Amino acid sequence: MVQKYTSPVRVYKYPFELIMKAYERRFPSCPQIPIVMNCEVISEWESPDGSLRKTERRCKLHVDAPYLLKKVIGVDHVFFIQKNNLNLRNRTLEIEAYNESFANRVEVLETCRYFVHPENDDWTCFEQTAEVDIKSFFSIEHTIEKLAMKQYSANIAKGKEILEHFIVQLKDEGVTVVPRWVPSPEQLEEERESPQEAVSPDHVTLCSKPRRNSGQQTSQECQSQLDSEYIQRYLGQLDLMQESKLVQLRKSFAQLHKGKVPNDSTLLRFLRARGFQVDKARHFLSESLSWRKKHGVDKMLSEYKIPPIVESYFPGGWHHHDKDLSPVYLLRLGQMDVKGLLRTVGEDGLLRLTLATCEEGLRLTEEATITSGSPVSTWCLLVDLEGLNMRHLWRPGIRALLHIIEIVEANYPETLGRVLIVRAPRVFPILWALVSTFIDDVTRTKFLFYGGNDYQGPGGLSDYIPEEFIPDFLGGPCKTAVCEGGLVPKGLYLTEAELGREGVHNLTDDSIYHSVVVPKSQTYEVKIDISEPGAVITWDFDVTKDDVIFTVCHGEGREKVEVPFKCRDGESVQGSHVAAAAGPFYLQWNHLGDHKAHLMYFYEVVSSADYRGSMSSLQSASSSLVANR
């Protein structure tokens, strides 16, 4: 079992030489690190010119473990070997430490490095890595592993604080400047006569400001490491192991993709989505990057143009921010003509609109992070369901929605913060039952539902959105730029040929719809066998030529269970019926005109078990026939 830790770079805003002076005060013991009982110098070596120093110490460490565990292992302290290589010429200190005690059972290897900040000669950087390999330890390997990493993390957290303490102590003693090492005149002469290639520390570029372009890297951005202060300022508070996983994922991508690394907020989102498991997050993100490249998503913001149909009939858009300063996206789903939008811009058009919205959301969160002075990584979704009815349960529309959700979940994890659902009608549980199983478990916990007028007053929207930004149609003072939606005129629908030519999902393909011709004075019917009472029959059809009368019948005697409904040329109809009894049901279209009638229809039977708990909502709409005029 191997636990790995890689720290982000920690920056001390002091010169390297002063940091080294403070570092020396940690030995032979340090009250601020009580676990270190004493450090004995085993060997020391210094080069003739004083630029190189090598020190080896044997450190006695107190075992900070429960009493019972100490009894099991039989010791109260362990020994570590620490080797320091100080290079004053290059201004670097490299440290390697490993355990002497229990070396045949446990291997602990720590490497640290102090070096000059690559962009500021008067600052010093510190980076640290460690591996703990528990081979066998009295059958308590897992306990020892957790204890070791807990103790190690605690000591790391103290490291910077302790050096800062000694810096202040030096200042109190009047030591604010420590001269840099410089070669003597004789050494300079020797170097001129025998020039040697200068050894410089590995270049590490540190993040000092957030990136505005999520797809590009600049010389100011991180190549392999991250600054811990940058993480807290722009990415948020992470524990030490989460910081480590972020650095590991960045290094991994830098190696695999030749320096083309996604921005840090993207790395963190995919890590969070996979529980900070680096390998899984790397695979998840690699698949998403391939998808982005294949579909040109990186160019979405610069190239996407909103179709006129969407501008006029899509009731959604950005609307200020919530109390956490996250951007708010407002969607009046109850006013959306799902079928009309799909028949005009197609599933691909709605998908591209969704992707453009997600890309814009990423840009807005980056801007909010800069302007607010604190990390903003998610956006808030406010959904108004007033007007939602059975028309919105049109099955092809649901399938398109689920497909879009699947793509968004795979490529924009951890971008959606709080979801506020207001004015949810009785039919909503049906839609939620269809959709919720396709939404990530963590994402589902972010949904807050308000029925009726519960969103008003204490405990409502004002708990999350500033009063001045609550939309006017929800009783607030703020006017919105979001259109009201409404039904898309049938005259704007694309033909089947146009749907195919435009690359839009053809709603009449793959047996979703059946096209039929009803001769004069005849009836076309579809038999549906229902095996259990309470099953739900849903239907959707378009009359594309002439008029028909539609009804639903039960039993061999064709007893009418729905009031006959006249459907005119060009109308779309959606509806449902809860079967009170088992047996055969019939959907009937009767044509009384002088010419043939044409129609496209789709039906589905849903088991009552699929909507257990939502039957009252279904029952309230069981006899509804909603015409999309």
Side-chain angles (χ1 to χ4, degrees):
M1 297 184 292
V2 180
Q3 275 274 24
K4 295 183 178 180
Y5 175 84
T6 304
S7 77
V9 169
R10 283 164 169 79
V11 178
Y12 300 94
K13 297 181 180 180
Y14 303 102
F16 176 80
E17 289 72 23
L18 187 61
I19 291 294
M20 291 300 99
K21 194 75 173 178
Y23 174 77
E24 290 173 2
R25 298 207 168 190
R26 297 177 54 172
F27 303 102
S29 62
C30 176
Q32 288 79 12
I33 313 179
I35 191 174
V36 180
M37 301 172 66
N38 186 60
C39 288
E40 174 190 358
V41 175
I42 299 175
S43 65
E44 279 187 301
W45 174 86
E46 183 174 327
S47 64
D49 62 5
S51 65
L52 300 176
R53 298 177 193 171
K54 293 185 179 181
T55 306
E56 184 172 346
R57 296 181 177 90
R58 187 169 187 258
C59 300
K60 184 179 181 180
L61 274 61
H62 172 69
V63 177
D64 187 10
Y67 173 79
L68 182 61
L69 183 56
K70 290 182 181 181
K71 287 297 183 182
V72 171
I73 63 178
V75 298
D76 287 323
H77 57 263
V78 295
F79 289 95
F80 270 72
I81 302 299
Q82 184 196 69
K83 296 180 178 181
N84 289 6
N85 290 325
L86 176 62
N87 189 325
L88 294 175
R89 178 190 294 270
N90 291 336
R91 305 175 75 195
T92 62
L93 171 63
E94 295 181 351
I95 305 169
E96 181 181 283
Y98 56 88
N99 62 305
E100 186 180 63
S101 303
F102 302 110
N104 61 330
R105 297 179 180 273
V106 182
E107 286 186 2
V108 179
L109 176 62
E110 178 187 50
T111 58
C112 307
R113 186 164 167 265
Y114 290 88
F115 56 97
V116 176
H117 193 291
E119 296 169 7
N120 190 322
D121 202 41
D122 289 328
W123 290 359
T124 304
C125 299
F126 172 75
E127 62 181 356
Q128 186 174 25
T129 62
E131 289 187 8
V132 180
D133 185 4
I134 313 293
K135 296 179 179 179
S136 66
F137 210 92
F138 310 107
S139 301
I140 54 173
E141 291 85 358
H142 184 62
T143 301
I144 292 295
E145 180 185 60
K146 290 177 63 177
L147 181 65
M149 293 311 296
K150 178 181 178 181
Q151 187 61 53
Y152 183 69
S153 297
N155 290 337
I156 290 173
K158 294 178 181 178
K160 187 171 182 179
E161 177 184 332
I162 292 168
L163 269 187
E164 296 279 0
H165 166 78
F166 288 128
I167 291 288
V168 172
Q169 193 178 85
L170 286 169
K171 287 183 177 180
D172 291 342
E173 296 172 7
V175 180
T176 57
V177 177
V178 178
R180 295 186 185 181
W181 178 90
V182 293
S184 66
E186 293 80 7
Q187 292 168 339
L188 286 173
E189 184 62 30
E190 289 177 4
E191 290 176 4
R192 280 195 291 268
E193 293 177 357
S194 303
Q196 296 179 351
E197 183 177 351
V199 180
S200 60
D202 295 336
H203 181 72
V204 179
T205 303
L206 305 178
C207 286
S208 57
K209 56 185 178 181
R211 283 169 292 284
R212 288 183 176 272
N213 188 324
S214 60
Q216 302 294 326
Q217 297 289 319
T218 73
S219 61
Q220 299 297 318
E221 297 171 333
C222 297
Q223 299 301 318
S224 62
Q225 277 285 27
L226 292 167
D227 179 358
S228 61
E229 293 181 1
Y230 163 83
I231 289 176
Q232 293 184 14
R233 166 61 181 85
Y234 294 107
L235 302 180
Q237 189 67 43
L238 303 177
D239 64 37
L240 291 167
M241 291 309 298
Q242 290 171 342
E243 287 182 349
S244 171
K245 301 299 183 182
L246 178 58
V247 173
Q248 289 177 35
L249 183 59
R250 167 163 282 284
K251 284 187 173 181
S252 175
F253 262 93
Q255 295 168 356
L256 292 175
H257 296 269
K258 298 179 180 179
K260 296 181 179 179
V261 183
N263 67 17
D264 307 318
S265 59
T266 298
L267 295 174
L268 186 56
R269 287 193 293 105
F270 279 81
L271 270 173
R272 282 177 169 148
R274 288 297 179 266
F276 283 89
Q277 298 182 60
V278 175
D279 290 341
K280 290 185 177 181
R282 182 173 58 243
H283 177 70
F284 186 22
L285 180 52
S286 294
E287 288 188 337
S288 179
L289 292 176
S290 298
W291 170 83
R292 292 179 69 89
K293 183 176 181 179
K294 179 180 178 181
H295 298 284
V297 179
D298 287 338
K299 301 178 181 178
M300 183 69 69
L301 285 181
S302 60
E303 296 183 354
Y304 177 73
K305 295 182 179 179
I306 300 178
I309 294 292
V310 172
E311 285 187 330
S312 300
Y313 295 98
F314 184 80
W318 294 102
H319 179 75
H320 301 286
H321 58 78
D322 64 11
K323 288 189 173 181
D324 296 325
L325 303 179
S326 294
V328 173
Y329 190 86
L330 175 59
L331 179 63
R332 303 184 69 175
L333 184 59
Q335 304 302 314
M336 184 188 299
D337 180 4
V338 178
K339 184 171 185 176
L341 287 169
L342 276 174
R343 294 295 295 273
T344 50
V345 300
E347 181 179 330
D348 182 67
L350 288 182
L351 174 59
R352 290 181 65 80
L353 171 64
T354 303
L355 298 182
T357 299
C358 290
E359 291 294 305
E360 180 70 6
L362 294 177
R363 186 187 68 79
L364 290 173
T365 55
E366 286 190 5
E367 286 189 355
T369 295
I370 296 170
T371 57
S372 68
S374 59
V376 177
S377 60
T378 60
W379 46 279
C380 174
L381 179 61
L382 173 57
V383 183
D384 177 24
L385 295 182
E386 185 182 53
L388 189 78
N389 54 43
M390 296 301 294
R391 161 170 71 89
H392 293 87
L393 301 183
W394 180 53
R395 200 63 176 182
I398 295 294
R399 290 182 179 178
L401 175 61
L402 296 180
H403 181 226
I404 291 173
I405 289 175
E406 182 181 15
I407 292 174
V408 171
E409 286 279 334
N411 297 285
Y412 298 92
E414 298 296 319
T415 56
L416 186 60
R418 190 178 294 111
V419 183
L420 304 171
I421 309 289
V422 300
R423 301 202 285 194
R426 297 183 67 191
V427 74
F428 174 68
I430 310 169
L431 180 62
W432 179 244
L434 282 168
V435 173
S436 61
T437 55
F438 291 83
I439 299 176
D440 177 79
D441 290 343
V442 175
T443 303
R444 283 206 299 271
T445 64
K446 301 175 181 178
F447 283 70
L448 296 174
F449 301 92
Y450 297 93
N453 294 323
D454 291 347
Y455 65 91
Q456 297 177 341
L461 286 184
S462 58
D463 283 6
Y464 305 103
I465 296 178
E467 289 276 2
E468 64 268 26
F469 294 148
I470 293 179
D472 52 1
F473 59 85
L474 293 178
C478 189
K479 293 186 178 296
T480 73
V482 176
C483 78
E484 296 183 0
L487 297 178
V488 179
K490 285 294 193 70
L492 299 177
Y493 281 19
L494 297 177
T495 65
E496 294 180 28
E498 289 172 329
L499 287 170
R501 185 169 62 251
E502 297 295 329
V504 179
H505 177 62
N506 191 335
L507 299 179
T508 63
D509 284 349
D510 60 32
S511 299
I512 291 179
Y513 279 79
H514 300 276
S515 297
V516 297
V517 175
V518 185
K520 174 184 177 181
S521 300
Q522 293 193 24
T523 299
Y524 179 85
E525 69 177 15
V526 175
K527 181 180 180 182
I528 304 172
D529 290 316
I530 300 299
S531 59
E532 58 169 346
V536 182
I537 305 171
T538 65
W539 57 82
D540 175 85
F541 63 88
D542 285 3
V543 181
T544 56
K545 184 178 180 181
D546 229 333
D547 300 343
V548 296
I549 294 176
F550 173 76
T551 192
V552 182
C553 303
H554 174 242
E556 296 302 335
R558 306 298 197 276
E559 177 187 357
K560 291 181 174 61
V561 294
E562 290 282 347
V563 177
F565 182 82
K566 186 173 183 180
C567 308
R568 294 181 173 81
D569 185 355
E571 286 188 341
S572 293
V573 177
Q574 298 86 39
S576 65
H577 178 81
V578 179
F585 282 76
Y586 297 89
L587 305 182
Q588 292 184 343
W589 292 270
N590 183 254
H591 178 42
L592 303 176
D594 295 330
H595 305 283
K596 296 178 180 179
H598 294 201
L599 61 93
M600 296 190 307
Y601 73 90
F602 166 85
Y603 74 90
E604 186 171 24
V605 177
V606 183
S607 169
S608 62
D610 291 341
Y611 298 114
R612 191 170 290 123
S614 301
M615 290 310 296
S616 62
S617 298
L618 273 171
Q619 196 70 48
S620 68
S622 61
S623 297
S624 65
L625 289 172
V626 183
N628 180 4
R629 298 180 185 274

